[in-house]
Amino acid sequence: MKADITVIKHPLVQHKLTLMRQAETHTQDFRRLLKEISMLLAYEVTRDLPLKYETIQTPLTRMDAPMLADKKMVLVSILRAGQGLLDGMLELIPTAKVGHIGLYREPTTLTAVEYYFKLPQDVEYRDMLVVDPMLATGNSAVAAVDRLKETNPASIKFVCVLAAPEGLQYFHEQHPDVPVYTAAIDQGLDEHGYIVPGLGDAGDRLYGTK
Ligand code: URA
């Protein structure tokens, strides 16, 4: 199956991403830029949401007007950097429910270890957007989607800001049915599993923890 990867090349996204990459960009600007990018990503990712027509009354007349057919969406944030994408997305999709999955990277093997998992009760039949700014080795993304598939959502899309080719390949091998949306595909990974040229540790830059 051909990998379903969408790179969002919109100039606003690319410009904001460049600002985020810069080492001198401070926490508060990084956080604001990530939120702004997340809204632009949400706009692209929700492009195919189905519409239904409802009869409404404008100040002038009645008309059949388009509305979202189904508001049953759930956003799942991979802790902790996923939180940086979540807020902006929720502003565009305020009716979405929210789940969290906590995974940390075991520093020597870089494998994903789960420490938290909480979803809304009725995720079955909901469309799921899984968000994490960085798809690096793909280990966390694969582990998160493995776990989320157990809950039988109607569909899953994975949304990130930066992806590494190695991580994308691994993710696609494990989950060929899950489309990936990203703002850029970088060169690769360094020996610590960081994306190069990348933007550093997204969680640290988001929360000023380094
Ligand atoms: N996680 C990050 O925050 N940054 C990377 O470059 C890779 C994984």
Side-chain angles (χ1 to χ4, degrees), residues 27-92:
T27 300
Q28 74 183 63
D29 292 323
F30 186 92
R31 194 182 296 144
R32 175 182 49 79
L33 288 161
L34 184 55
K35 183 172 180 182
E36 290 169 0
I37 284 191
S38 73
M39 290 192 202
L40 296 164
L41 297 180
Y43 176 81
E44 286 294 332
V45 165
T46 52
R47 228 172 230 293
D48 59 354
L49 285 182
L51 293 171
K52 64 181 177 189
Y53 282 80
E54 287 203 357
T55 307
I56 61 160
Q57 177 76 47
T58 77
L60 300 181
T61 185
R62 287 171 77 75
M63 71 173 284
D64 286 336
M67 302 189 82
L68 290 177
D70 192 355
K71 299 200 178 87
K72 292 195 171 77
M73 188 167 273
V74 58
L75 307 183
V76 180
S77 161
I78 301 184
L79 296 173
R80 68 186 160 143
Q83 295 300 101
L85 282 175
L86 186 65
D87 291 346
M89 291 205 168
L90 276 175
E91 282 195 18
L92 281 198

Side-chain angles (χ1 to χ4, degrees), residues 105 134 136 193-195 200-203:
R105 290 211 292 181
M134 311 298 271
Y194 279 93
I195 297 178
D201 186 297

Side-chain angles (χ1 to χ4, degrees), residues 186-208:
D186 271 9
Q187 240 165 267
L189 298 173
D190 72 6
E191 67 276 22
H192 305 293
Y194 279 93
I195 297 178
V196 180
L199 51 74
D201 186 297
D204 281 342
R205 297 206 58 196
L206 184 58
Y207 295 116

